[in-house]
């Protein structure tokens, strides 16, 4: 009995400690924000991340590296290649609308491989609590190559860390439903495909971004400066635009801009020693 009590105490104490490791996000309630953003300039992707912050580095196409102060490395829309640096992510997320968003052969050394789809039409649900970060998903539908629809075939992944709620829209093919918006909650930062056709037409993506009202929007899935500029020209005066040629930024609750801001990052593969 004494051994059982000790085990129970250990489990409860461990759970309490894990809960304290992650600052609760403001996905539902709108966080107070102040002007300013902390930008990374000429910084190594391997540099330590400041406390209460998340570093976001654009790797390529729809792949981003999210790093936390505690050393978690998470790669979105993982294709199996992040660059020449010998980095094994702790978590990768994937979507399978196109081969540039997933791999059928992820490195078996990766502890957590989260597919954004399940059995056809059934979708999948993720709720991965790593202490410092909570990762969950909201399924959406995608068009298939035969002109039909794969219900719940895409996932919008949400990463809650450092009090922030960060969303990656994946290969979004339709405007989310009210229920899907509610499941997403308040996204402080969102990565959004702005190609204007292969995913969502620009009018619909602008509708989504207007509804989300995220503090920071990071364009992705643009195939040339022309498609990026087309999106920026359409975004409207209610959004500020920052384009300083960087590939990364570090964001925290205290540094969220007071106005919705499009932050353009330039994709760059991970290199050892940089």
């Amino acid at each position: 009995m004494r051994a059982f009590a000790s085990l129970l105490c250990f489990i409860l104490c461990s759970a309490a400690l894990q809960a304290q490791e992650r600052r609760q996000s403001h996905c539902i309630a709108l966080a107070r924000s102040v002007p300013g953003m902390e930008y990374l300039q000429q910084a190594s992707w391997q540099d330590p991340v400041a406390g209460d912050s998340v570093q976001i580095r654009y790797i390529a196409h729809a792949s981003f590296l999210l790093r936390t102060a505690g050393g978690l490395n998470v790669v979105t829309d993982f294709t199996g290649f992040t660059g020449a640096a010998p980095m094994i992510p702790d978590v990768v997320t994937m979507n399978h609308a196109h081969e540039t968003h997933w791999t059928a052969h992820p490195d078996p050394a990766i502890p957590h491989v989260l597919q954004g789809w399940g059995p056809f039409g059934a979708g999948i649900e993720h709720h991965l609590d790593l202490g410092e970060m909570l990762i969950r998903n909201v399924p959406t539908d995608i068009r298939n190559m035969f002109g039909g629809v794969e219900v719940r075939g895409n996932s919008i992944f949400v990463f809650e860390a450092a009090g922030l709620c960060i969303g990656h829209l994946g290969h979004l093919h339709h405007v989310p439903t009210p229920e899907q918006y509610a499941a997403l909650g308040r996204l402080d930062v969102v990565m959004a495909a702005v190609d204007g056709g292969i995913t969502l037409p620009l009018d619909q993506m602008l509708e989504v971004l207007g509804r989300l009202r995220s503090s920071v929007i990071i364009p992705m899935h643009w195939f040339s400066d022309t498609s990026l500029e087309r999106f920026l020209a359409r975004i409207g005066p209610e959004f500020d635009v920052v384009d300083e040629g960087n590939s990364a930024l570090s964001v925290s609750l205290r540094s969220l801009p007071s106005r919705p801001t499009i932050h353009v990052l330039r994709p760059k593969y991970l290199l050892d020693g940089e």
Side-chain angles (χ1 to χ4, degrees):
M1 179 64 70
R2 180 176 299 175
F4 174 77
S6 298
L7 177 61
L8 180 61
C9 178
F10 173 78
I11 293 172
L12 292 175
C13 290
S14 297
L17 178 61
Q18 184 183 61
Q20 293 173 0
E21 289 177 351
R22 181 177 69 256
R23 183 175 181 180
Q24 293 300 309
S25 74
H26 296 258
C27 280
I28 304 303
L30 176 63
R32 292 181 60 191
S33 60
V34 295
M37 174 68 66
E38 181 183 353
Y39 304 117
L40 294 180
Q41 298 184 11
Q42 305 301 321
S44 169
W45 68 269
Q46 300 173 88
D47 285 349
V49 179
D52 294 330
S53 299
V54 176
Q55 183 191 104
I56 303 173
R57 182 171 293 269
Y58 193 12
I59 297 174
H61 196 56
S63 291
F64 292 84
L65 171 64
L66 279 60
R67 301 184 67 233
T68 66
L72 280 177
N73 291 315
V74 179
V75 176
T76 68
D77 278 29
F78 180 65
T79 64
F81 181 73
T82 58
M87 189 270 293
I88 301 296
D90 298 289
V91 185
V92 298
T93 65
M94 301 189 297
N95 277 301
H96 74 162
H98 289 283
E99 62 183 7
T100 51
H101 296 255
W102 73 292
T103 175
H105 306 286
D107 191 323
I110 299 172
H112 304 282
V113 177
L114 306 184
Q115 295 180 342
W117 67 97
F120 188 88
I124 197 167
E125 302 286 344
H126 294 291
H127 192 277
L128 177 62
D129 193 338
L130 298 172
E132 193 178 15
M133 178 183 285
L134 170 67
I135 303 174
R136 57 187 177 87
N137 71 308
V138 176
T140 62
D141 304 341
I142 56 173
R143 301 179 299 272
N144 63 33
M145 66 180 66
F146 306 108
V149 173
E150 181 181 351
V151 176
R152 296 165 61 88
N154 176 75
S155 281
I156 299 174
F157 280 96
V158 179
F159 310 88
E160 300 184 33
L164 295 162
C165 202
I166 301 170
H168 186 289
L169 298 184
H171 213 277
L172 189 63
H173 286 183
H174 64 86
V175 174
T177 65
E179 293 77 15
Q180 288 165 336
Y181 278 122
L184 287 173
R186 166 68 184 186
L187 299 181
D188 300 298
V189 181
V190 64
M191 290 83 115
V194 300
D195 56 272
I198 297 177
T199 54
L200 273 184
L202 275 184
D203 287 344
Q204 293 184 19
M205 180 54 74
L206 293 173
E207 176 186 343
V208 172
L209 296 179
R211 171 72 178 266
L212 290 174
R213 296 292 296 177
S214 299
S215 297
V216 177
I217 297 113
I218 303 176
M220 65 173 184
H221 210 268
W222 43 274
F223 299 96
S224 67
D225 284 347
T226 300
S227 61
L228 175 62
E229 291 300 328
R230 186 184 305 118
F231 164 74
L232 296 177
R234 292 283 307 280
I235 194 62
E238 66 270 26
F239 294 88
D240 290 337
V241 177
V242 174
D243 183 0
E244 297 181 338
N246 300 321
S247 60
L249 63 85
S250 182
V251 62
S252 66
L253 276 178
R254 67 181 180 277
S255 68
L256 290 175
S258 57
R259 281 170 50 86
T261 300
I262 308 297
H263 194 99
V264 178
L265 297 181
R266 301 292 169 171
K268 184 179 182 181
Y269 285 113
L270 305 181
L271 301 177
D272 200 16
E274 283 193 1

